[in-house]
Structures are given as structure tokens and as C-alpha cells.
Amino acid sequence: MARPSSSSSSMAILALAFLVIFTSSSSAQLSTNFYSKSCPKVFTAVKSVVQSAVSKERRMGASLVRLFFHDCFVKGCDGSILLEDTSSFTGEQTAGPNNNSVRGFNVVAKIKSQVEKVCPGIVSCADILAIAARDSTVILGGPNWNVKLGRRDSKTASLSAANSGVIPPPTSTLSNLINRFKNKGLSVKDMVALSGSHTIGQARCTSFRARIYNETNIDSSFAATRKKSCPFPGPSGNKAN
Ligand code: HEM
Ligand SMILES: *[C@@H]1O[C@H](CO)[C@@H](O)[C@H](O)[C@H]1NC(C)=O
Ligand SMILES: *[C@@H]1O[C@H](CO)[C@@H](O)[C@H](O)[C@H]1NC(C)=O
């Protein structure tokens, strides 16, 4: 009777091996059908909330795209930007590139609760951000793409990482921009294409006033147009498309 016992123990070893492989591989491939069995309704759930948020305020589509970018550039697309400060860490939300600037957290919370209704405990917030950014882009008339899924949510966030310059400031030189994207595996072409996302949304005058008033390597009629909506000296709260 040695056979059954040895085959059941090799089954156990096999099961253990799978367990080890699947729980220890943090670099597993993302896939477009990650939730096709566990949460096929995720796409309609996310889209309905994004649609209603963008109908209320078109800019929200832009804000959701940027939220995804700022999440991804700090330690990967792990939802860490969504984490509020706790007693054990100060998160990313008050970092220079984010404070009083990134928005859309309430919409993400609404999406999450809608997704939890259709499949509780399945979909990561990091994946929700990725889907919401795509849906926003499509709703505002941009390109469509299939979103690869399977990201895991971070349990921590880091203010210092978010402030370290990995999200390049608007005062960056071209070579800094190129390097910051290169560090994420993105080419110059990728960077230019992704920057096209600035055709939607708004920026605070404080983000670009110095450039339109003091720099010469900028299209002068564009600078003149921008100066109208961003007088100097002028109110600090102004924004421009
Ligand atoms: C290339 C380097 C980049 C720089 C230096 C940069 C800088 C900025 C700045 C300064 C603002 C205005 C923020 C404010 O005043 O509150 C802004 C807004 C925005 N950025 Fe970028 N950005 C970059 C790349 C990207 C990328 C890769 C994306 C997405 C693919 C993106 C999406 C957006 C969007 C959609 C807005 C408007 C957000 C809103 O209206 O809420 N940006 N960016
Ligand atoms: C973030 O913005 C708030 C509100 O304007 C401000 O009080 C705070 O000092 C800012 N935090 C940082 C780290 O800049
Ligand atoms: C332009 O540069 C001058 C001189 O450095 C400075 O005083 C002024 O504040 C700058 N203007 C803006 C809008 O940043």
C-alpha cells in the first residue's frame, strides 16, 4: 500500500510548490482577463461611476488619469497614493507634486464601493485606478486600450519617495524628463505620447507662471494667451486649461 501514500504525498508537494510559486511571485504577468472568472462585472461597475463623475464635472476625467500616473511613478502602480497618513507612515498625498493638486479620491472611493457590491474583496484599488484612467480617457474622446490587470495594493506609502523627484517637476530640464521616464521603462516617444494627456484638465497658474512670464523658449502667442488667465501679480488660485 505504498503507492497511494507516495502519490498523495507527491500531490501534497506539488500543491505546496504551486502555493510557493503563486504566493511568492510578485512579478507575475498582468493580464486582460485577470478578473474574467472572479469579477466579470468589474468593467461595467467602474465605467458607470466614472461616467457619472465625468458628466458632473468633465475635468474629473483628467484628474483620474493624472492620479494613475502619480500612483505609478512612486513605487509602481500599487494604489499607494490612495493611502491616507497613519501613525506608522506619512503618505504621498501631501507630497509636493500632489498636495492641493491631485484630485479624484472621492470618485475612486465611490468606484471601490460599487465594485465591492458586485464582487466583494476581489479587485485591487491599483487595478481600479488603471481601469478608471482608461475609461476617463475614452469618455473624453481619447484612445481606447485593453487594461492589463492583477496589480496588488500596497499597504504602505512614502512621503519621501513621492517627494524624491521620481514624479518630475514642471521646472524639469528635458534630460531630467527623459531620465525619469526611462527609469520606468518608458521611451522618449512614450513620454511625448503620455504628455499628450495635458490636452485635458487644468493646471494652477503657480505651476507655470514663471515659464510664461520669464522664459523665451515658449511660443509667444501661447504665452500671451496664458498670461490673460494668469495675471502676474495675481490671485494664487487661478487655473488654466
Ligand atoms: C512629462 C512630465 C510631466 C510633468 C512635468 C507634468 C506636470 C504637470 C503639472 C505641473 C500639472 C498641473 C498641476 C497643478 O497645477 O495642479 C499637470 C497636470 C496634469 N497632468 Fe501632468 N505632467 C507630466 C506628465 C504627465 C503624464 C505622463 C500624464 C498622464 C498620462 C499627465 C497627466 C496630467 C493631467 C491629466 C493633468 C490635469 C489634471 C487635472 O486637471 O486635475 N501628466 N501635469
Ligand atoms: C498642503 O496643503 C495644505 C493646505 O493648503 C497646507 O496647509 C500644507 O502645509 C501643505 N503641506 C505641504 C507638505 O506642503
Ligand atoms: C520673473 O523673474 C523675476 C526676476 O528673477 C522675478 O522677480 C519674478 O518673480 C519672475 N516672475 C514670475 C512670474 O515668476
Side-chain angles (χ1 to χ4, degrees), residues 58-63 140 197-203 226 240-241:
R58 277 181 78 73
R59 185 188 172 196
M60 187 50 71
S63 303
L140 293 178
S197 139
H198 292 142
T199 52
I200 56 174
Q202 298 193 326
R226 279 295 160 270
N241 292 336

Side-chain angles (χ1 to χ4, degrees), residues 208-214 232:
F208 60 86
R209 216 185 237 122
R211 176 144 173 73
I212 57 174
Y213 281 92
N214 275 344
F232 176 72

Side-chain angles (χ1 to χ4, degrees), residues 93-96 99-100 159 163:
Q93 297 184 356
T94 57
N99 202 29
N100 302 313
L159 176 65
N163 271 330

Side-chain angles (χ1 to χ4, degrees), residues 4-45:
S5 124
S6 102
S7 99
S8 74
S9 71
S10 52
M11 284 301 280
I13 288 168
L14 195 65
L16 189 67
F18 274 114
L19 198 68
V20 169
I21 289 165
F22 286 112
T23 55
S24 69
S25 73
S26 58
S27 62
Q29 287 296 306
L30 302 179
S31 83
T32 53
N33 60 10
F34 190 80
Y35 296 114
S36 60
K37 294 219 167 64
S38 59
C39 190
K41 291 180 177 162
V42 64
F43 294 110
T44 49

Side-chain angles (χ1 to χ4, degrees), residues 186-215:
L186 296 166
S187 68
V188 174
K189 192 173 176 180
D190 294 332
M191 182 185 79
V192 172
L194 288 165
S195 298
S197 139
H198 292 142
T199 52
I200 56 174
Q202 298 193 326
R204 296 163 301 167
C205 295
T206 49
S207 297
F208 60 86
R209 216 185 237 122
R211 176 144 173 73
I212 57 174
Y213 281 92
N214 275 344
E215 290 178 31

